[in-house]
Structures are given as C-alpha cells and as structure tokens.
Amino acid sequence: PAEGFDPDEHSVFITGNFAGWAEPGTEGSYELTMVSKGNRSTFYENWDSFDDWTTNLDPWTTVDVHGGGTWTASDFDFDLAGQPFAYGIFNPEDTDPSLVGTHDAYDGTKFAFAVGQTAAPAEENKWLISPAMEVTADSELSFAAKSITVQYGMERFRVYVSTDGTDLDDFVQISTGEYLEVGDDWEIFSFGLGDFAGETIHFAVECVSNDAFMFFLDAFEVTNIVGDDPPPSDEMVYTITIEVEEGDHQYKYFLVEDDPTWDMGEWEGDPNRQITVNADMTVNDEWAIITSIVEAEVEDFNMNLFPNPATTNITVRADVMIHEVKVYDITGRMVMQLDVNSHEQTLDVSTMRGGFYIMQVHTEQGVEGRRFHVAR
C-alpha cells in the first residue's frame, strides 16, 4: 500500500536490473507519468481507426484555405494523388509499391498527411483541428511529425489553441517563432496547456510549408484532460514505456519527493517484482490494494498469522470462530477461498508466486484483513 502518498508532492519512479538499480530519482532510473487522476483521462489519436486515404477525419476538422490540386509522387502511387484536400489518412501498406519499412507510422500502421499544392501561392495554409476537450493545469499536448523528404525543403508548421470554437480567427499560436520545421525522421513536439486550465479547447496544426512535398502527423496525445465519467475512486494511474532486453528482470517502484531516495519503496526488503520478457508486452502492476473490510464488533480477535514470511504453509489462528478465509494478490485478484469452522486454519501457499498477499478472515464477529509475504 502507498502509505502517505500525495500525488501533488511525490513522483513515482521504477528501477531494476534493467536500469542497473540506479537510485530512484537519479539518472538511469525511470519516472512514470500520471495518465489518470480521478476523472482525468488522456486524449490519443494514431489514426488507425480511420479508412485508408479518407479525407473525412470527423470528429477532427480540416480546412484547406487555398484549395487546388496537389503533387503526385514519381516513385510510388497512392490514392488522393493530385487531388485537392487538406489532410487525409496515409497507409504505407497500401501504396504501390509498399512503403512499409521506408515510411512507417510512428504508432500503429497509419498517419495523417498533407500534400503540397501545385499552383500558387507556394506557401500552404492547411489546418488540422482537434475535437473539443477540457484541459487542466497539468495537460500537455504532444505529437509526432516528419517530412517525407527534405529534397524540396523541410515541412513547416504552426500550433494553435482556441477556446472559442473552430473558426480560424479564434486560434492563438502557442508554437514559437514564425514556424517550426521538421526533417525526414519522426520527431516529437510537446506544448504545455496549463495556461488554458479549466477551458474547453481545440488545438490545431497549420501546415505552412513553402513548395515542399508531404507533411506527416501521428500519435497526438493530450494528457490530464477532464473525462466524461465521474471519478471511479481515488484511483490514480501511472504509465511508462521502457525498452528492455529479453530475459528475466527484477524491479520495484519508489516514491520520490524532493531528493533521490531508496527510503520510499513499495515495501522494505525482498522480494522484488519480476517479469520474463520474450516479446513486446504490457505489464499492468498495482501499487496499492484497497479492500472493503467490515469492522469487527470486538476490539481484538487476537489473530495471528505464522510463519510470516511463509514458504510452503501459513496458519491463521484467532480467539473467535473463523468461518471463511479469502486470499487476494496485489492486483486484487482472489487466489484462494476456503470454508472454515475452526479457530485455526493452515493454508498451502507452496504453489503461489513470491510476493505480498492480503488474507481476509471472516469470523463470527466480523472481518479482519492481514498482509502476509510468500518468500521464494
């Protein structure tokens, strides 16, 4: 359990053998990002749900101020070639020849793209405008961008926010300078949205390239927006993506307030968490478990668990009659349930993985929960 945890004061770090067991909060350890706090959520778009080559990006809005035909490609064929449009959906698997391995999406299989117009004026004015969302002081916008080639110059763009709607006159620029440029490798651009906290916004990317070719956009994300649903509880969700080698890895989570520290780990001493990596995988770990416990009507059951830590068996003993015992792992999943009619019960834990568990003991006078450790 994350005793004393304050999300406004503490950062969550992970360290392990894949990080050389760097001290939490120092270089080499990894900080997790909060993606959900109460009813906060994350907006994300990687375009894979859209039809190939469509220019209908609803609920996004697109505007092509100049209009007019667009460039074709000399070394591959693609739908929309030569057509007038602001932004469409590019699928490198569906070009002739395939561009898989040459121009892959940043995330998934597809991405949004704009193509330079063939007629004057040479400077583009193509807008991609997001759906509406309510942002907070912690919200941040990020996305991936690239040019298909820099042979004709790098693609140029500006980033905007509107708090009044999707009319182009409503947008204020949040990117710096006259424009930003991007080369022919995917690059991540990030912008804080804290100045618009409490507002419902649209963000926009305007392509202003000058006689270039193709502008690619992918992996739009806005963190810590206000969700539609009420908060499920005090639950908070943190995430991180780490590239590690195949094999067995041990690790543990830590809280850091101001300075690097080993003192605020999930629990003292062993065991560490452990995973075996042999392919791309997602690991969903629980930092804390909350169980509903009915308070006993007596002050003390005089309950004991022994031995604790346990290796093969653990015994629970109480002064009152025990009717049922349930055991939960740290994810909240029930792993054992026994009917009992005694003051004492021994449980076989020899097949359980090493780690911490919660034993919920139901007696004739109420329920009591105790934490125990299976050592391996």
Side-chain angles (χ1 to χ4, degrees), residues 14-16 19-26 29 252-256 259-269 272:
I14 185 173
T15 189
W21 285 106
E23 184 176 16
T26 65
S29 63
K252 194 181 289 186
Y253 296 96
F254 292 82
L255 301 182
V256 174
D259 301 317
T261 180
W262 292 102
D263 296 337
M264 302 180 72
E266 298 181 88
W267 47 74
E268 295 182 3
N272 300 314

Side-chain angles (χ1 to χ4, degrees), residues 193-223:
L193 299 175
D195 290 345
F196 307 97
E199 300 271 10
T200 296
I201 72 159
H202 297 266
F203 66 83
V205 178
E206 180 195 18
C207 177
V208 292
S209 301
N210 189 357
D211 201 21
F213 189 15
M214 287 189 186
F215 179 42
F216 296 164
L217 291 168
D218 200 5
F220 281 92
E221 182 177 55
V222 182
T223 58

Side-chain angles (χ1 to χ4, degrees), residues 102-238:
T102 304
H103 293 296
D104 294 328
Y106 182 84
D107 179 44
T109 60
K110 307 176 188 180
F111 48 86
F113 78 120
V115 182
Q117 59 192 1
T118 57
E123 183 177 286
E124 307 298 333
N125 194 348
K126 297 187 175 187
W127 292 71
L128 178 64
I129 302 171
S130 76
M133 62 195 74
E134 184 178 344
V135 296
T136 69
D138 302 318
S139 295
E140 182 177 86
L141 163 66
S142 65
F143 58 86
K146 68 173 283 190
S147 304
I148 191 172
T149 180
V150 295
Q151 180 179 353
Y152 311 103
M154 292 191 289
E155 301 289 340
R156 302 173 178 178
F157 63 96
R158 303 185 187 111
V159 182
Y160 300 84
V161 165
S162 168
T163 58
D164 295 319
T166 59
D167 288 343
L168 301 189
D169 291 340
D170 293 333
F171 285 90
V172 294
Q173 185 175 334
I174 62 170
S175 55
T176 58
E178 184 180 355
Y179 50 75
L180 301 174
E181 292 183 305
V182 65
D184 55 5
D185 289 317
W186 285 111
E187 184 177 347
I188 295 294
F189 295 85
S190 299
F191 307 87
L193 299 175
D195 290 345
F196 307 97
E199 300 271 10
T200 296
I201 72 159
H202 297 266
F203 66 83
V205 178
E206 180 195 18
C207 177
V208 292
S209 301
N210 189 357
D211 201 21
F213 189 15
M214 287 189 186
F215 179 42
F216 296 164
L217 291 168
D218 200 5
F220 281 92
E221 182 177 55
V222 182
T223 58
N224 284 307
I225 64 173
V226 177
D228 294 331
D229 299 323
S233 64
D234 290 333
E235 177 184 82
M236 299 164 201
V237 178
Y238 287 76

